[in-house]
Amino acid sequence: MGTDQAHIDHIQTFHTLVVLVLPLLAAIIGVIVPSKYKIAGWISTIAILLSAVFAIGVFTGVWNVTTVHTQTLWFTIASTNVYAGIWLNNLSVLMLALVSVIAVPVHIYSLKYMQHDERFNRYFTYLSFFCFSMLALVVVDSLVLFYAFWELVGFSSYLLIGFWFTRDKAVQANKKAFIMNRIGDIGLLAGIIIIFAQFKTFDLVQLFGEGGLISQSVLTNGQWISPVGQMPELWQYIACGGIFLAVAAKSAQFPLHNWLPDAMEGPTSVSALIHAATMVAAGVFLLGRAYPIFNLYELNTLAIIGCFTAFMAATIALTQNDLKRILAYSTISQLGFMIMAMGVGAYASSLFHLATHAFFKCLLFLVAGVVIHEMQHIREENNLDIDPQNILYMGGLRKKLPLTFIAAIVGALALIGVPLTSGFLSKDGILIQAFVWAEGKSWIYQVMPVMALFTTWLTAFYVSRMIVKVFFGKFRLLDINPGIHLHISDGGWYYKVPLALLSFCSLFPLFSLNPLIYEHAWLFDGLKPSNFLERVNIYHTLVPIGVNILSVVVMYTAYALYVKRNYTFPQHTALFRLSYNEWYIDKAYNKGIVKAVLWISNALYWFDKNIIDGIVNVFRKVAITLSELAVWVDRYVIDGILYLLTVFVRRTGNLVRLFQGGKVQIYLYSMLAAVLLIFILKFII
């Protein structure tokens, strides 16, 4: 039996490696293939499709069946062995399947969406490398490898967000995303170093596995005590703070959230992948992996920050007019729900919502891509100066884009959490467990589930506003420009197949045969803890009923306001300005941090130029002066003395040579002169 299990584990490990290698090979081929041959798209699409097939096979073989952990010695430093391997459990195989399956419709969609882009091959090269990085991230078993792929995910997103690098906004957006994520990476690195110092291993299974070292550690008498060592408990808080900093950066939580709306400058298909199951999901995945390290106080902090982020982002989405920006703040809000769920102990519901959100958010972004693409077509055909992403120019598009409209409705209902959608099941679990968690606690904790409940109604309103502005009423651009030509459609199968696939996945049958009770969902059942409490209180009935009745009222209110009355927000109010200006957080950062950094940089530049360079210039001038003096001395003193010596020697030689003419008379005269000279000198002396 042991041999059979080892063989099965070997097969699962091999299939997992295939899942990882295929997109990496596609990326390598994309680099090699000349840009004039636009085949990288099909190579990447086929590769990710095969990866998805193998990932589903691994998922079915591991989910609720077994855990696979395979590793090999990587390198040794002193007495520390660092291993590289793969860890497959319910969490990792869920993410492995989710990332690859979501990536398939995005790749198919991108074949059409990016077909006229001159950097077609480069786009798919980046996309394949992005998928490889994320797929590897979710299955590695070492903190060292985890950090490496964490960085590669960030680097890949940097390339994709700034893909259209000739646009200044895209360059600024990818720099902003890169810098803010580096802040989180510093936190993660600090956490990893502290964890290694305390537990003497990078192995995720030994650390976070069932009965692992972290679960055996305790905080007592000001010490953080583990089976292999101890340190002051302050370091435990720093480690958890560093991990959450990484989570906040990757999953766009307050205060590191504001890079995500700017990331919309990348292609819409990239936005669909980043916002669905890759980069932003990496933060929640990290939280799920490292969950045992957080104590009660730290989990409460997670819950508070997640709840606040969800509420804040929802209020901002209410007044935005950029279609992709609305969806970006929606993503931040939904990620806030996931973080809050982790904080209140709803671990399974958090990851359940991560999975359902991946499908309907990807669907909504692809819908946005179709709408924006057609608006761009109208702009170019009629030579208009408009923003194709501004919903104020849209309206009535359900007649021109019927399939896109249906997909948008399905995605919107799932995002709101209406019954019969997957979003209802996952959000239902988070809200119910939040109320159960707050029961018996102080008022500050009891406010949180109420705020989360209110946020769901805000979600219903801004999503309904977006849908009715885009698809209902009159086409407002036609009212502004009556003579424009409209030749738009849902597009070919490249658009229709991904929209249809994701629409089905956004409904309840994929996750549960019971559309009303989240505990019956197979995904929730596979992730829930052993001490999970079944339905024992009134919240399980009141919360879903209250949420959905009022959500329907809110949706109808949005329809009535924006279609029947053509309502606009009173823009002079303080609340509108707060929402429209995104709570002034970007402006506060620009004034308080960016300007301060620039001022310090300019001051250092001035100091460097005027003080450091001034001192260097003084030394330079002194050195040059001394050099010139040395040259003068060398030329006129040293060379002069040498010249005089040569003249003296030459003339002395010439004089002596006169006496060596070969005539005896001259020799006699010379001898006589010498004798006379000696005689005279002796006489004188």
Side-chain angles (χ1 to χ4, degrees):
M1 184 65 181
T3 304
D4 293 341
Q5 186 59 49
H7 179 67
I8 294 172
D9 290 354
H10 177 75
I11 293 174
Q12 299 293 3
T13 302
F14 175 74
H15 288 173
T16 303
L17 291 174
V18 172
V19 173
L20 306 185
V21 169
L22 284 171
L24 178 61
L25 287 176
I28 294 171
I29 294 172
V31 173
I32 297 171
V33 173
S35 58
K36 63 180 179 179
Y37 302 113
K38 292 190 173 183
I39 61 172
W42 280 106
I43 293 172
S44 295
T45 304
I46 293 171
I48 199 64
L49 179 61
L50 292 174
S51 286
V53 171
F54 278 100
I56 293 171
V58 172
F59 176 84
T60 56
V62 173
W63 182 263
N64 280 347
V65 175
T66 185
T67 298
V68 178
H69 182 213
T70 305
Q71 63 179 188
T72 185
L73 181 62
W74 187 12
F75 60 87
T76 301
I77 298 178
S79 60
T80 301
N81 293 327
V82 179
Y83 293 87
I86 288 175
W87 181 21
L88 302 177
N89 61 357
N90 279 3
L91 175 59
S92 55
V93 296
L94 170 65
M95 292 299 298
L96 191 74
L98 187 65
V99 172
S100 56
V101 169
I102 289 290
V104 171
V106 172
H107 276 71
I108 295 172
Y109 182 96
S110 298
L111 289 170
K112 181 69 174 177
Y113 194 79
M114 301 296 293
Q115 66 176 346
H116 298 301
D117 197 284
E118 61 182 353
R119 302 180 187 90
F120 181 83
N121 283 359
R122 179 184 293 185
Y123 168 83
F124 278 98
T125 298
Y126 291 168
L127 202 62
S128 292
F129 188 69
F130 190 25
C131 291
F132 159 71
S133 301
M134 186 64 197
L135 289 167
L137 176 75
V138 301
V139 297
V140 293
D141 74 333
S142 166
L143 282 172
V144 177
L145 283 174
F146 186 93
Y147 187 77
F149 287 111
W150 180 272
E151 290 295 324
L152 288 180
V153 168
F155 176 67
S156 305
S157 65
Y158 168 81
L159 296 175
L160 288 167
I161 292 168
F163 179 76
W164 287 318
F165 55 83
T166 54
R167 303 178 185 178
D168 183 64
K169 284 187 176 180
V171 173
Q172 297 302 322
N174 76 340
K175 286 195 296 186
K176 186 176 183 179
F178 191 79
I179 291 170
M180 296 195 78
N181 274 276
R182 295 295 73 73
I183 296 172
D185 295 346
I186 292 171
L188 178 59
L189 183 59
I192 290 173
I193 292 171
I194 293 169
I195 289 171
F196 176 76
Q198 173 71 327
F199 298 100
K200 309 300 186 293
T201 182
F202 293 109
D203 193 311
L204 287 168
V205 180
Q206 291 184 33
L207 291 167
F208 301 107
E210 187 174 351
L213 293 172
I214 286 179
S215 64
Q216 298 177 46
S217 64
V218 293
L219 293 174
T220 180
N221 297 324
Q223 292 292 309
W224 183 22
I225 302 173
S226 77
V228 293
Q230 67 179 44
M231 59 175 60
E233 67 177 3
L234 174 64
W235 292 107
Q236 195 272 346
Y237 293 111
I238 294 175
C240 289
I243 291 172
F244 178 72
L245 198 63
V247 172
K250 271 289 193 291
S251 291
Q253 296 297 287
F254 178 83
L256 300 178
H257 65 281
N258 55 329
W259 67 267
L260 193 58
D262 291 354
M264 298 300 96
E265 294 299 328
T268 305
S269 47
V270 169
S271 302
L273 197 57
I274 288 177
H275 286 249
T278 52
M279 185 171 178
V280 297
V284 180
F285 172 77
L286 170 60
L287 205 53
R289 269 287 193 239
Y291 197 67
I293 199 173
F294 292 92
N295 61 36
L296 181 62
Y297 302 106
E298 292 157 350
L299 290 175
N300 290 343
T301 304
L302 289 181
I304 292 170
I305 294 175
C307 183
F308 173 75
T309 303
F311 172 75
M312 176 196 65
T315 61
I316 294 173
L318 290 172
T319 58
Q320 302 304 306
N321 295 319
D322 186 301
L323 180 55
K324 289 174 67 177
R325 207 166 183 86
I326 295 171
L327 293 175
Y329 275 106
S330 170
T331 299
I332 296 172
S333 182
Q334 298 305 305
L335 289 166
F337 274 108
M338 299 173 207
I339 301 299
M340 183 191 74
M342 286 286 185
V344 302
Y347 176 88
S349 291
S350 176
L351 296 172
F352 187 12
H353 196 55
L354 173 65
T356 61
H357 175 265
F359 289 105
F360 60 71
K361 186 51 62 69
C362 184
L363 172 62
L364 287 172
F365 266 106
L366 296 189
V367 164
V370 174
V371 172
I372 293 168
H373 183 270
E374 298 306 316
M375 291 296 292
Q376 287 174 334
H377 181 69
I378 294 172
R379 181 184 65 179
E380 293 167 1
E381 185 180 13
N382 297 277
N383 195 26
L384 301 175
D385 183 19
I386 62 167
D387 179 3
Q389 296 181 191
N390 193 327
I391 62 174
L392 298 181
Y393 292 116
M394 303 175 192
L397 292 179
R398 70 184 189 281
K399 299 176 182 178
K400 298 288 185 179
L401 309 172
L403 179 63
T404 304
F405 168 67
I406 294 171
I409 291 295
V410 172
L413 292 177
L415 176 55
I416 294 169
V418 173
L420 306 184
T421 66
S422 60
F424 168 80
L425 291 169
S426 56
K427 190 177 287 187
D428 184 24
I430 293 174
L431 293 174
I432 290 172
Q433 290 174 86
F435 274 99
V436 174
W437 168 82
E439 192 172 11
K441 290 185 171 64
S442 64
W443 67 269
I444 192 170
Y445 296 116
Q446 293 180 1
V447 166
M448 287 172 50
V450 176
M451 185 182 291
L453 198 61
F454 184 65
T455 302
T456 63
W457 296 325
L458 292 177
T459 303
F461 188 85
Y462 73 69
V463 172
S464 300
R465 172 181 176 265
M466 178 186 72
I467 294 296
V468 298
K469 284 279 190 181
V470 174
F471 292 104
F472 288 88
K474 296 180 180 180
F475 188 43
R476 286 174 288 280
L477 186 59
L478 192 60
D479 290 341
I480 301 171
N481 302 276
I484 62 174
H485 301 285
L486 300 178
H487 300 99
I488 60 177
S489 68
D490 286 310
W493 70 270
Y494 294 96
Y495 290 164
K496 293 178 179 178
V497 169
L499 293 182
L501 174 64
L502 291 168
S503 295
F504 170 75
C505 293
S506 298
L507 299 174
F508 74 91
L510 181 65
F511 297 97
S512 175
L513 296 179
N514 187 327
L516 301 177
I517 300 178
Y518 70 88
E519 293 99 332
H520 290 181
W522 59 265
L523 194 153
F524 180 87
D525 184 64
L527 294 170
K528 69 183 182 182
S530 57
N531 59 348
F532 172 74
L533 297 176
E534 299 292 342
R535 292 175 173 250
V536 293
N537 55 50
I538 197 65
Y539 293 124
H540 288 79
T541 303
L542 291 181
V543 171
I545 293 175
V547 167
N548 287 285
I549 290 177
L550 199 53
S551 292
V552 171
V553 173
V554 169
M555 287 188 285
Y556 178 78
T557 301
Y559 175 81
L561 287 174
Y562 293 108
V563 176
K564 294 184 177 181
R565 298 186 181 181
N566 197 23
Y567 175 80
T568 57
F569 280 111
Q571 300 185 10
H572 61 279
T573 63
L575 288 177
F576 176 87
R577 291 196 300 270
L578 180 67
S579 171
Y580 188 76
N581 290 289
E582 302 168 356
W583 284 46
Y584 299 99
I585 293 174
D586 252 340
K587 293 182 178 180
Y589 285 169
N590 286 331
K591 289 184 178 180
I593 298 177
V594 176
K595 285 190 176 181
V597 170
L598 291 175
W599 184 87
I600 293 171
S601 300
N602 290 329
L604 291 173
Y605 174 75
W606 179 90
F607 182 81
D608 179 67
K609 185 176 181 181
N610 295 281
I611 305 300
I612 304 300
D613 286 356
I615 295 171
V616 171
N617 287 333
V618 169
F619 281 109
R620 178 180 62 85
K621 289 179 180 180
V622 170
I624 290 173
T625 302
L626 291 175
S627 299
E628 291 174 346
L629 179 61
V631 169
W632 185 88
V633 171
D634 181 68
R635 179 176 296 174
Y636 295 104
V637 178
I638 304 301
D639 286 356
I641 293 172
L642 292 175
Y643 177 73
L644 290 175
L645 287 173
T646 57
V647 169
F648 174 76
V649 171
R650 184 173 65 249
R651 292 188 178 183
T652 303
N654 290 337
L655 179 62
V656 172
R657 195 163 46 246
L658 293 174
F659 299 102
Q660 302 295 324
K663 294 181 178 182
V664 176
Q665 298 93 321
I666 299 299
Y667 296 158
L668 291 173
Y669 292 147
S670 299
M671 292 173 64
L672 179 60
V675 170
L676 290 174
L677 179 61
I678 292 170
F679 179 77
I680 292 169
L681 290 172
K682 187 173 181 179
F683 178 78
I684 293 172
I685 295 172

